[in-house]
């Protein structure tokens, strides 16, 4: 999961109301159940010490949840009487949770948003392509590439066999130019899109021509789908199934790659590395002290959290700066934090990782990962 969308949460001081609520409406008494959930959220916020204005802002937002098309759940973050971020969830939380804390409680998000990568879909035919960006909860058209069109002029003075060769050659050149235009537009859109996976669909010949014209870095994360069409009104049912499978395969291989890099770079438990005991000499960090140190140094490339990250709830000391985080109070003071305050380790590290444009991956139960459910693959070695 990319963390850039969380940056608005770190532009202002806390305390923060953090709410996770089930918004499914699949039962006959759904409206009654929703009211009960909202009352529970309000009670938790009040008991936690939330001010009345921020509490009211949260409840007003929850009260306007649409009856139709509602996601399975929502995460709402509010401070200073204002809802700053309202995130639809792919998975409903097991229980409604509302906290009032110095930092926004963002640690549950990776397990509730889902691991679907952002995906760009290019619908290709002989005249061009439409490009669609599919994010976790929405799809939108982001660009169109219009290819060159060639029409024969009926030079009947040319012998039939030469005319046929001339026509075929011109059409072939036009198709190749169109493929080049589409590939160039995809390459231009790619960096800003935030996409991790590219799906080419539509005309088989054209999509293959586009594929071969893409830069290697994009081809490496590109798949071709058999069941899409650029034609208006074409059904997307089979295409959606192919895209879902491609996303699942990408997420699985991406996690495996990150875990392999982590395992290759980790040290042995208890080993004294450059960051002290339980740190390691390679391009991985394991355990709260090593990960906190790496986050403070902006070295975290991929944060690895276990499904049950027992170490995530440990206290660390923070200051107002996103990278002001330390395991001991004295360390925070040495960084210039005059009044260090306690925070959860997972929330503090996620704050620093988001500010550094890192990503977080959830390690499922039963998959060997970092000890205590807290680790990171690093960008460089200090």
């Amino acid at each position: 999961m990319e963390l850039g969308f969380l940056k608005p949460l770190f532009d202002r001081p806390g305390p923060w109301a953090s709410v996770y609520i089930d918004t499914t409406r699949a039962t006959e008494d759904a409206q009654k159940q929703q009211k009960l959930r909202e009352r529970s959220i309000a009670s938790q916020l009040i008991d936690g010490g939330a001010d009345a204005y921020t509490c009211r802002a949260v409840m007003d937002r929850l009260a306007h949840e649409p009856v139709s098309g509602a996601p399975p759940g929502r995460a709402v973050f509010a401070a200073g009487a204002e809802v700053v971020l309202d995130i639809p969830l792919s998975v409903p939380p097991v229980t409604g949770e509302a906290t009032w804390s110095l930092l926004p409680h963002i640690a549950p998000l990776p397990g509730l948003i889902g691991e679907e990568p952002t995906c760009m879909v290019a619908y290709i035919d002989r005249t061009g392509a439409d490009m669609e960006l599919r994010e976790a909860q929405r799809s939108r058209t982001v660009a169109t590439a219009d290819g060159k069109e060639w029409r024969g002029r009926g030079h009947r003075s040319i012998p039939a066999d030469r005319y046929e060769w001339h026509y075929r050659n011109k059409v072939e050149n036009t198709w190749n130019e169109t493929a080049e235009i589409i590939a160039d537009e995809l390459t231009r859109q790619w960096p800003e899109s935030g996409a991790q996976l590219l799906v080419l669909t539509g005309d088989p010949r054209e999509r293959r021509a586009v594929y071969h014209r893409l830069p290697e870095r994009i081809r490496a994360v590109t798949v071709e789908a058999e069941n899409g069409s650029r034609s208006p009104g074409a059904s997307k049912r089979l295409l959606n199934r192919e895209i879902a499978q491609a996303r699942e395969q990408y997420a699985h291989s991406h996690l495996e790659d990150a875990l392999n890099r982590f395992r290759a770079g980790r040290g042995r438990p208890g080993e004294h590395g450059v960051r002290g005991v339980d740190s390691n000499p390679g391009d991985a960090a394991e355990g709260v002290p090593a990960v906190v140190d790496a986050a403070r140094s902006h070295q975290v490339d991929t944060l690895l959290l276990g499904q049950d990250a027992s170490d995530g709830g440990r206290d660390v000391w923070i200051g107002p700066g996103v990278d002001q985080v330390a395991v001991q109070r004295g360390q925070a003071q040495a960084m210039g934090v005059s009044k260090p305050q306690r925070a959860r380790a997972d929330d503090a590290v996620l704050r620093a990782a988001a500010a550094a444009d890192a990503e977080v991956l959830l390690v499922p139960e039963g998959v060997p990962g970092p000890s205590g459910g807290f680790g990171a693959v690093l960008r460089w070695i200090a």
Side-chain angles (χ1 to χ4, degrees):
M1 185 180 85
E2 299 293 332
L3 298 172
F5 71 99
L6 295 175
K7 288 183 180 179
L9 299 179
F10 313 127
D11 292 338
R12 64 179 72 193
W16 286 85
S18 305
V19 171
Y20 295 87
I21 185 170
D22 183 339
T23 54
T24 52
R25 298 174 182 268
T27 59
E28 292 184 3
D29 63 343
Q31 187 172 3
K32 177 183 177 182
Q33 291 298 321
Q34 193 62 20
K35 291 295 182 185
L36 291 174
R37 292 170 188 149
E38 291 173 9
R39 287 176 190 165
S40 173
I41 292 297
S43 296
Q44 291 180 58
L45 287 177
I46 292 170
D47 292 345
D51 66 85
Y53 298 105
T54 301
C55 187
R56 186 178 304 151
V58 170
M59 302 318 298
D60 285 347
R61 179 63 63 93
L62 295 179
H64 289 87
E65 175 70 36
V67 175
S68 61
R74 290 167 70 188
V76 178
F77 302 93
E82 179 185 356
V83 172
V84 178
L85 214 52
D86 184 350
I87 304 169
L89 304 175
S90 300
V91 180
V94 176
T95 59
E97 177 185 7
T99 58
W100 181 250
S101 54
L102 179 63
L103 292 183
H105 183 36
I106 53 180
L109 276 176
L112 298 174
I113 287 183
E115 294 293 341
E116 285 191 347
T118 299
C119 174
M120 184 176 285
V121 184
Y123 299 86
I124 299 168
D125 63 17
R126 295 179 180 180
T127 65
D130 297 322
M131 298 165 196
E132 173 186 82
L133 192 66
R134 297 194 178 195
E135 297 168 297
Q137 297 293 332
R138 64 170 182 160
S139 299
R140 56 191 172 93
T141 300
V142 292
T144 297
D146 294 319
K148 291 189 176 182
E149 184 176 354
W150 180 81
R151 293 183 177 88
R153 298 185 180 274
H155 298 301
R156 292 302 178 186
S157 60
I158 303 175
D161 57 345
R162 282 191 61 192
Y163 177 79
E164 183 68 20
W165 174 87
H166 180 75
Y167 178 82
R168 288 175 180 268
N169 189 57
K170 293 292 281 187
V171 169
E172 182 79 18
N173 289 339
T174 301
W175 288 351
N176 289 335
E177 289 175 3
T178 296
E180 193 74 43
I181 290 169
I182 295 170
D184 286 347
E185 183 61 22
L186 284 168
T187 303
R188 191 179 72 83
Q189 293 287 335
W190 187 257
E192 296 299 323
S193 71
Q196 300 158 278
L197 177 68
L198 174 61
V199 176
L200 304 180
T201 189
D203 184 283
R205 183 190 180 286
E206 281 300 298
R207 70 172 189 248
R208 178 73 15 211
V210 170
Y211 175 85
H212 285 300
R213 286 166 171 78
L214 292 169
E216 174 58 33
R217 71 182 190 281
I218 300 180
R219 280 206 309 270
V221 291
T222 299
V223 297
E224 294 185 60
E226 300 291 336
N227 293 291
S229 172
R230 196 185 181 200
S231 302
S235 172
K236 292 185 178 181
R237 183 176 62 86
L238 294 177
L239 173 63
N240 291 340
R241 186 181 302 169
E242 282 191 85
I243 292 174
Q245 291 173 346
R247 282 173 137 177
E248 183 178 349
Q249 290 171 359
Y250 175 89
H252 177 75
S253 62
H254 187 55
L255 175 61
E256 277 301 306
D257 178 65
L259 286 173
N260 287 337
R261 290 166 59 202
F262 171 77
R263 291 164 188 150
R266 75 197 297 187
R268 294 185 296 275
E271 181 179 8
H272 287 264
V274 296
R275 296 179 182 83
V277 68
D278 289 338
S279 71
N280 53 61
D283 58 353
E286 184 171 33
V288 171
V291 174
V292 164
D293 189 30
R296 185 172 58 246
S297 304
H298 300 192
Q299 288 183 287
V300 174
D301 181 58
T302 302
L303 185 64
L304 297 169
L305 295 180
Q307 193 85 39
D308 179 21
S310 56
D311 281 357
R314 285 179 53 178
D315 280 346
V316 294
W317 295 89
I318 64 167
V322 293
D323 55 357
Q324 291 179 324
V325 53
V327 174
Q328 297 177 351
R329 190 172 187 273
Q331 290 177 318
Q333 289 174 322
M335 288 186 282
V337 180
S338 58
K339 294 182 179 179
Q341 294 181 279
R342 293 180 186 271
R344 287 179 57 107
D346 46 16
D347 289 336
V349 169
L350 278 165
R351 177 180 71 156
D357 295 317
E359 69 169 343
V360 60
L361 296 178
L362 197 66
V363 182
E365 290 183 15
V367 175
S371 176
F374 218 64
V377 179
L378 307 184
R379 286 180 174 143
W380 66 82
I381 305 302

